[in-house]
Amino acid sequence: MNNQEAQNTLPPKTCSIERLVTMPEDVQKVLEGKKTATRRNGRYADVGEIMVLGDKKFEVNRVYSQSLGELTDEHAQHEGFNTVEEYKEAILSYHPGMPWLPQMRVWVHEFSAVSE
């Protein structure tokens, strides 16, 4: 399946790519190459779309749905954390009162720097 075929199977975006990575510490992690994925409760980008942070561009390479219970330490490392527990603590601190439900589904957006 190519990117266009994969794109055709995804539901419409619920937000714009400009809102994908907004927290200053996350922006810094992306710029330093320490964060190459972000999870959102909606779909913020299409495959091939370009995100601009500072003076750098990042291309969205993959977008897919995943449950929180499927997260591994490797996934957390792509988010810029060492472990799932670190990632979980950070997410819950951003969203006070939000429960961490293993069955809750999120949208994963994986991206990489564009070399110009």
Side-chain angles (χ1 to χ4, degrees):
M1 178 182 303
N2 65 32
N3 280 348
Q4 187 59 47
E5 290 168 336
Q7 200 60 54
N8 291 339
T9 65
L10 297 174
K13 291 185 350 181
T14 58
C15 203
S16 68
I17 194 167
E18 292 80 18
R19 304 283 308 144
L20 188 60
V21 178
T22 58
M23 298 197 60
E25 55 269 23
D26 286 342
V27 170
Q28 192 60 40
K29 285 180 181 181
V30 173
L31 293 172
E32 293 171 358
K34 296 176 182 175
K35 179 175 175 68
T36 59
T38 198
R39 284 158 175 78
R40 294 284 189 203
N41 64 351
R43 201 168 75 73
Y44 284 38
D46 292 324
V47 172
E49 205 168 346
I50 301 294
M51 170 176 65
V52 179
L53 298 174
D55 61 350
K56 295 187 179 175
K57 295 179 181 179
F58 300 85
E59 182 176 0
V60 176
N61 309 115
R62 193 168 172 222
V63 178
Y64 59 95
S65 178
Q66 179 184 60
S67 73
L68 293 178
E70 294 175 289
L71 276 164
T72 65
D73 285 347
E74 184 178 351
H75 293 129
Q77 289 159 10
H78 289 287
E79 285 274 3
F81 297 91
N82 292 315
T83 65
V84 171
E85 193 57 34
E86 275 185 23
Y87 173 72
K88 176 181 172 180
E89 288 174 17
I91 293 302
L92 294 179
S93 75
Y94 304 154
H95 305 285
M98 182 185 100
W100 183 270
L101 304 171
Q103 70 275 17
M104 182 178 160
R105 297 203 70 80
V106 294
W107 285 96
V108 183
H109 303 75
E110 295 179 355
F111 46 84
S112 59
V114 173
S115 53
E116 297 189 50

